Amino acid sequence: MNKNTSISLGNHFYFILAFFRLLLMSSSARAAEPDSLRQCDEYSPVWQRFEFLKQSGSNFPIEDLDRERIVFGIAEKGQQWEPLVHRYADVPVLTIEQTDEQEKVLASSDHLIAVVTADQALPKYLLSDSIRCLSLIVLGDTLELPMADLRAAADYVLYCPLNNTISRDLSVQVVFNALTLGEELTHYDTRQRLRYVPGAVFGLADERIQTRVDSIVQQAITATAFPGCRVLVAYKGAVIFNGSYGHHTYDKRIAVQPHDVYDLASVTKIAGPLPLIIKACDDGLMHLDQPFSRYWPDWKSTLFHRSNKDTISLRSVLAHQARLAPYINYYPMTMKNGEYQSRYYRINPSEKYSLAVAPNLFLSRSFTKKVYKAIRKSDLLPDVGYKYSGLSFMLYPQLLSNLYSDDYETMLYRHFFDQLGASSLCYNPLNKLAHSRIVPTEYDAHYRRTQLKGQVHDEAAAIMGGVSGNAGLFGSAYDVAKLMQLYLQKGSYGGRSYLSSTMLDAFTRVQYPQSDNRRGAGFDKPLPGNDTLSIENSYPAPAVSAQSYGHSGFTGTFVWVDPQYDLVYIFLSNRVYPSRNNPLIYRMNVRPSIQQVFYEAIEERD
């Protein structure tokens, strides 16, 4: 055997070994999904058997998530209701038992949605006068049971004679106004929320899609591009792909789950300040072609307050055409000889030292003034043209608070996230979400000197106490998809109008088509001539339409909306774990390659 033959056999052995390793990983790394995703042929027969036995009262199916305190109660144990419910709202899901604790929860609720099945005794206290509104989901052949009193007491009764995985899944979707009885599973309008049905309902080849996405992701995990990820794709108002892959970290102790929360990094720009900026334009409080200094007076130039940014327009700032420097490294200003300066930091919080940058490390709130000053005094780039900059996004939380005379975070949650049922979209999640849901990012050896988990990865956002416009938001794929679907639907979602279609059109189009700048106002856009490029050179996938838009994030996140194809693509990962010095997600073209799979599936169907 010569040397070349040995090398050839060695290569074949390596590829065979890698192939079997991928097969093993694809069967174990992807988190379990509802069986309904693999039972498309059984969907329609089950769906056709649903009916309302009673309809009275109001807010059922649930239209207003922020109007009532809702509790979901199940009489049967061992069924996976919570993951189905929490796709739509973070409401309590109780196994109904007559305990003091549960009676307190029920007494403080406005609306109990109870599941009744044939193989469980009917909880008598469901007839209690303390329950303000009662809706029943009746599954299985239960109509012969003595439940006349219970049905009489209920405001709504939804019935399906089957009690299986599909009927449970579909019943939750009916409850939360994602599906309408009597309509086909393919039917959708903006009054509904996102559905969860197989792509085969739309004629897509589910198994082929699954195999191709599995292969791309598992190769990336094997190469250590990231330890795990979430992939969610919505098509025509339906989530047709909902994949959870790998683990939180490379020690494989915690598998990625569908409701896990990732640091969104720069996706924050279009998920945090931008919806409020668009709203402000709708409200007539901001205008794209007015000077930015009109809304941020610190940029106004006066005799004793010089500024080189006085005439820069809001449009040019949002489109990264304002000659702003890309980045300022703020945290070194707070340190000396590698140590934290005592005038800036304390290990315990107080009214003055209230910006939490890490566990047991609190920065003086007054430092934000130095951040604003550094941005104002920063030099402008010599040439007009596209240059990505995060500087202005540091200012938006305070700017919007000033504009509306209200707290930025409060407005964001009240006007958008609470109504969307997007409770995981938040800043500083350690104070709001279960720690087990939060995926860690980098070990910060330079500034915070700790493993980051629930603290924002971006140092500039950390300086602002984790609440910034450039980074800082965390969220699950489920909840990011709701906001992106709102954008896709020109400002409407779940029967509510949040933003005007006219203003969204203005923000999502290319702002400076005459120059070599692909950007919208805040939104990213495809490269010019993107459809002629290879997957290695395109941004994002070559098949996206020119009307599409989205944003990427440094931590390994990516979201994209395509109105022409009625498609939303969400990819969340922690590629910076344990270090940001890992370019494999880019070199392997992971995100555009997965995105391309769905366009090709649509083309193959057509």
Side-chain angles (χ1 to χ4, degrees), residues 94-110:
L94 308 175
T95 302
I96 297 179
E97 299 168 346
Q98 199 159 355
T99 64
D100 291 341
E101 182 178 350
Q102 290 208 357
E103 286 184 357
K104 288 179 182 178
V105 173
L106 291 172
S108 64
S109 69
D110 300 310

Side-chain angles (χ1 to χ4, degrees), residues 303-345:
L303 181 61
F304 299 105
H305 184 89
R306 306 304 298 169
S307 171
N308 57 3
K309 302 175 179 63
D310 186 88
T311 61
I312 294 173
S313 70
L314 175 62
R315 186 188 303 274
S316 66
V317 169
L318 287 172
H320 304 279
Q321 183 91 355
R323 298 169 57 203
L324 297 177
Y327 192 82
I328 295 175
N329 210 3
Y330 307 98
Y331 82 85
M333 303 176 193
T334 70
M335 305 180 76
K336 187 174 183 179
N337 298 324
E339 298 298 325
Y340 305 116
Q341 293 193 57
S342 59
R343 63 176 171 146
Y344 291 124
Y345 292 100

Side-chain angles (χ1 to χ4, degrees), residues 207-268:
E207 290 187 9
R208 177 168 167 77
I209 291 172
Q210 188 78 64
T211 299
R212 294 183 65 189
V213 175
D214 285 358
S215 176
I216 295 167
V217 173
Q218 298 306 339
Q219 287 183 55
I221 291 175
T222 301
T224 67
F226 42 77
C229 69
R230 285 280 285 119
V231 181
L232 185 149
V233 176
Y235 177 60
K236 296 186 179 298
V239 174
I240 59 166
F241 194 93
N242 187 23
S244 304
Y245 293 90
H247 298 79
H248 285 201
T249 57
Y250 289 109
D251 61 15
K252 299 184 180 180
R253 294 176 62 185
I254 304 174
V256 171
Q257 299 297 322
H259 70 312
D260 283 343
V261 172
Y262 285 80
D263 182 332
L264 300 179
S266 281
V267 171
T268 298

Side-chain angles (χ1 to χ4, degrees), residues 2 12 124 161 195 258 269 286 296 318 326 442 566 572 602:
N2 61 34
H12 280 88
K124 294 181 180 179
R195 295 158 293 155
K269 292 179 172 67
M286 299 182 82
W296 188 251
L318 287 172
E442 187 175 23
D566 211 349
L572 305 180
I602 293 170

Side-chain angles (χ1 to χ4, degrees), residues 489-505:
Q489 294 172 181
K490 301 294 184 71
S492 296
Y493 181 80
R496 284 191 176 183
S497 179
Y498 295 82
L499 304 168
S500 75
S501 60
T502 301
M503 201 58 66
L504 269 171
D505 285 342

Side-chain angles (χ1 to χ4, degrees), residues 37-168:
L37 294 180
R38 297 182 292 275
Q39 296 174 338
C40 177
D41 292 342
E42 300 178 23
Y43 245 71
S44 292
V46 174
W47 175 235
Q48 291 166 5
R49 301 185 73 175
F50 274 90
E51 62 177 309
F52 275 120
L53 300 182
K54 184 178 181 181
Q55 289 181 280
S56 62
S58 62
N59 203 30
F60 189 90
I62 305 299
E63 294 182 353
D64 300 322
L65 290 172
D66 56 344
R67 191 176 96 188
E68 297 177 327
R69 291 167 295 179
I70 299 168
V71 174
F72 209 97
I74 59 175
E76 57 181 344
K77 295 183 179 180
Q79 302 293 349
Q80 293 298 309
W81 287 95
E82 193 170 70
L84 300 175
V85 172
H86 286 173
R87 293 179 305 194
Y88 295 102
D90 187 16
V91 300
V93 179
L94 308 175
T95 302
I96 297 179
E97 299 168 346
Q98 199 159 355
T99 64
D100 291 341
E101 182 178 350
Q102 290 208 357
E103 286 184 357
K104 288 179 182 178
V105 173
L106 291 172
S108 64
S109 69
D110 300 310
H111 191 163
L112 171 62
I113 301 168
V115 180
V116 178
T117 59
D119 54 352
Q120 296 290 326
L122 301 177
K124 294 181 180 179
Y125 72 92
L126 290 181
L127 299 173
S128 170
D129 293 335
S130 64
I131 297 176
R132 298 174 181 83
C133 181
L134 174 63
S135 298
L136 294 180
I137 300 174
V138 181
L139 297 180
D141 190 13
T142 61
L143 294 185
E144 300 303 320
L145 293 176
M147 47 181 306
D149 290 341
L150 193 56
R151 288 174 59 189
D155 297 280
Y156 277 86
V157 180
L158 174 65
Y159 174 62
C160 181
L162 302 174
N163 181 14
N164 57 22
T165 302
I166 297 175
S167 59
R168 289 190 287 272

Side-chain angles (χ1 to χ4, degrees), residues 538-586:
S538 66
Y539 178 84
V544 304
S545 76
Q547 291 75 42
S548 67
Y549 53 88
H551 215 285
S552 62
F554 186 76
T555 52
T557 56
F558 184 83
V559 302
W560 208 258
V561 176
D562 197 329
Q564 181 174 318
Y565 287 86
D566 211 349
L567 200 66
V568 169
Y569 172 55
I570 311 291
F571 180 95
L572 305 180
S573 77
N574 56 334
R575 71 100 194 162
V576 295
Y577 181 90
S579 168
R580 70 185 66 190
N581 299 319
N582 181 1
L584 288 175
I585 195 173
Y586 310 112

